[in-house]
Amino acid sequence: MASKYITGPSIESFGTDFTPPEPNVTSLRISGFFSDDVVFESIDQSVNSFLHRNEMAGASVAIAKDGKLVFSKGYGWADRDSRIHTEPYHLFRVASVSKLITAAGIMKLAEDGKLHLEDRVFGPEGILNQAPYDVYIDRNVEDIRVKHLLNHSGGWTNRWGDPMFIPHAVARGLDKELPVDATDIIQYMLGKRLHFKPGTMSSYSNLGYAILGKIIEKASGDTYESYIKTNILYPIGIFDMRLGGSYLTERAELEVKYYEPSDTYMVIDHKSDDKVLRSYGGNDVNTLGPAGGWLASSTDLLKFMLAIDGMNLPNDILSRESVEKMTTPEKKYLDPIGWRGVRKDYWYRTGTLAGTSALMVRKDNGISYVVLFNSSTWKGPMLTSDIRRMMEGAIKKTSEWPDYNLFDLASNWK
């Protein structure tokens, strides 16, 4: 009798170097219809009003209570031109929220004994002691420790501009053609003097987190993105998060389209002298990588935050000791690790780039939330303060929360 199954060539026929393709695993993609309920009317009204008031295209919101996903919904347009509505599983650029992801990767390496936060970064005893990082003009560079990069006290300020956003100046300084990458930018900055002694103050530094990406690669023996996915994201069931691209042609599957204010202006492409939108070519998203290049859905980002929030609901991916180190500044005048701010009763992380705005908040009362927008305004980083006020007001007006966990409910539905 003929087999009812279609057969193909055997594994042996491909030779000994054949590697079977990896299974196509995705994150749990939760639809917004699970949160279509009158009890969430205040949230719906607040977010829709915020979009309209700020002339923004779309948003994605995820809320957890006591470790359970109790709300997940998209608003407005993921792609206004193609009339695609936003769903909670759409991917957004999360900008500087990427720093919290990178910090978690460093803490995981420390837990595994692959590095120590006190390790030197540069110099003969440094992690990055090979070319081109072994050439620098300021001997104080040898005092930079891993922990200094994590809390923005490495010694750099943006006095002459953020080095991650001046590719043309870097190319001229190194006498090379565009484009430049993170290695070029680090090499360029090592050719200049530090602005302050490492560890004595914090000054927000995208460069520091770009260097941390190189440290992750050196300590793990893996690429930055692969290490984060394999050791931080995959173990907690996140498979859709990835590094993004700079151009519309590099748009990932399920990624939203980005929108700038109606009166925006063109800028110089980071790879050439062409004029482009800041959101599509003006910023080098891929090179920002560890400092600002990740794509994520609101639900995946919330799942990540629940895995490093110190509450163990569900179990954390990092130890309690690591979480405490991240959220307890070594000195009062230094920043926390990864997080943008740690207040008395809440922690928060923000992210802003042309075309995107992100906010994630973890509160001591068990409420955590993530809000992502695929639009920017001229308010810049100050927009996140408005977002937080909007969300806090909406949450306060929500009198009851469901007992179910949408992560489990959606999984059973599937």
Side-chain angles (χ1 to χ4, degrees):
M1 180 182 295
S3 171
K4 65 179 179 179
Y5 301 106
I6 299 174
T7 60
S10 65
I11 291 295
E12 289 78 7
S13 67
F14 288 98
T16 56
D17 292 333
F18 174 73
T19 301
E22 293 183 4
N24 183 21
V25 182
T26 61
S27 297
L28 187 62
R29 295 174 179 174
I30 301 169
S31 172
F33 81 85
F34 284 106
S35 295
D36 278 334
D37 194 299
V38 67
V39 71
F40 301 123
E41 184 177 6
S42 293
I43 298 174
D44 292 341
Q45 290 179 350
S46 295
V47 177
N48 282 319
S49 176
F50 192 89
L51 288 174
H52 178 74
R53 187 167 61 252
N54 289 282
E55 298 181 345
M56 303 173 84
S60 182
V61 179
I63 304 173
K65 187 177 189 301
D66 299 328
K68 297 179 179 180
L69 180 64
V70 292
F71 181 86
S72 179
K73 200 167 186 179
Y75 298 88
W77 302 108
D79 186 334
R80 189 161 50 197
D81 307 295
S82 299
R83 313 303 285 176
I84 299 174
H85 291 281
T86 309
E87 287 283 359
Y89 50 76
H90 276 119
L91 302 179
F92 291 67
R93 291 173 182 167
V94 299
S96 285
V97 170
S98 303
K99 294 180 176 65
L100 187 57
I101 300 167
T102 299
I106 290 287
M107 301 307 292
K108 187 65 175 174
L109 283 168
E111 288 183 7
D112 293 341
K114 299 293 183 65
L115 56 74
H116 302 281
L117 301 192
E118 295 288 343
D119 285 346
R120 297 180 187 273
V121 176
F122 301 107
E125 300 177 2
I127 297 173
L128 301 179
N129 57 10
Q130 76 280 10
Y133 310 121
D134 57 347
V135 179
Y136 40 87
I137 67 169
D138 190 337
R139 297 295 296 228
N140 287 320
V141 162
E142 296 181 1
D143 293 329
I144 299 174
R145 314 273 179 163
V146 173
K147 66 179 183 180
H148 296 149
L149 301 179
L150 288 166
N151 62 25
H152 301 281
S153 67
W156 294 281
T157 69
N158 295 329
R159 188 180 306 165
W160 297 295
D162 189 325
M164 302 302 294
F165 294 93
I166 53 171
H168 293 74
V170 172
R172 287 193 300 270
L174 297 179
D175 192 24
K176 67 164 292 183
E177 297 292 326
L178 290 167
V180 298
D181 59 19
T183 298
D184 296 323
I185 296 169
I186 297 168
Q187 182 182 1
Y188 172 78
M189 291 304 293
L190 289 175
K192 300 183 179 298
R193 301 194 68 81
L194 295 179
H195 298 142
F196 60 89
K197 184 175 175 58
T200 60
M201 61 176 280
S202 286
S203 180
Y204 196 77
S205 176
N206 285 302
L207 173 66
Y209 273 77
I211 298 171
L212 286 169
K214 298 301 181 183
I215 290 174
I216 286 176
E217 293 185 337
K218 181 69 178 293
S220 69
D222 200 353
T223 67
Y224 164 77
E225 183 176 12
S226 176
Y227 176 81
I228 294 294
K229 286 181 175 181
T230 303
N231 295 274
I232 300 296
L233 303 179
Y234 292 170
I236 57 177
I238 296 176
F239 301 96
D240 288 348
M241 285 176 61
R242 66 197 67 184
L243 291 181
S246 302
Y247 300 97
L248 188 58
T249 55
E250 299 172 324
R251 186 177 176 188
E253 180 186 4
L254 295 178
E255 185 178 0
V256 297
K257 191 172 182 180
Y258 304 102
Y259 299 91
E260 299 181 42
S262 57
D263 58 345
T264 192
Y265 54 86
M266 307 292 276
V267 298
I268 300 176
D269 191 315
H270 72 273
K271 285 186 175 182
S272 68
D273 292 326
D274 296 337
K275 291 294 187 71
V276 295
L277 289 170
R278 291 177 300 156
S279 54
Y280 284 115
N283 293 325
D284 188 351
V285 176
N286 191 263
T287 294
L288 277 172
W294 280 92
L295 304 177
S297 67
S298 61
T299 49
D300 275 353
L301 204 55
L302 183 63
K303 183 180 283 189
F304 165 70
M305 181 164 61
L306 294 175
I308 60 166
D309 66 355
M311 293 184 179
N312 277 322
L313 293 170
N315 291 334
D316 283 354
I317 192 71
L318 296 178
S319 69
R320 181 170 294 277
E321 180 184 11
S322 291
V323 173
E324 288 180 356
K325 284 183 179 179
M326 292 175 71
T327 56
T328 307
E330 188 174 293
K331 298 177 181 178
K332 289 184 177 180
Y333 52 80
L334 297 177
D335 288 349
I337 291 175
W339 295 91
R340 190 68 181 101
V342 176
R343 300 292 184 261
K344 182 178 180 180
D345 59 348
Y346 72 95
W347 310 341
Y348 69 97
R349 178 67 255 183
T350 60
T352 304
L353 273 176
T356 192
S357 301
L359 172 66
M360 54 194 299
V361 174
R362 174 266 196 208
K363 304 180 70 174
D364 285 351
N365 65 3
I367 293 288
S368 299
Y369 59 86
V370 170
V371 192
L372 306 176
F373 293 87
N374 62 341
S375 312
S376 56
T377 72
W378 292 121
K379 294 179 181 179
M382 295 302 296
L383 178 66
T384 53
S385 296
D386 292 345
I387 296 171
R388 181 174 180 272
R389 281 192 291 270
M390 178 271 293
M391 284 300 301
E392 292 294 326
I395 289 172
K396 188 175 182 180
K397 292 177 183 177
T398 303
S399 57
E400 57 182 297
W401 299 97
D403 292 330
Y404 54 70
N405 184 351
L406 279 177
F407 285 129
D408 296 334
L409 188 66
S411 179
N412 293 332
W413 181 277
K414 183 178 179 181

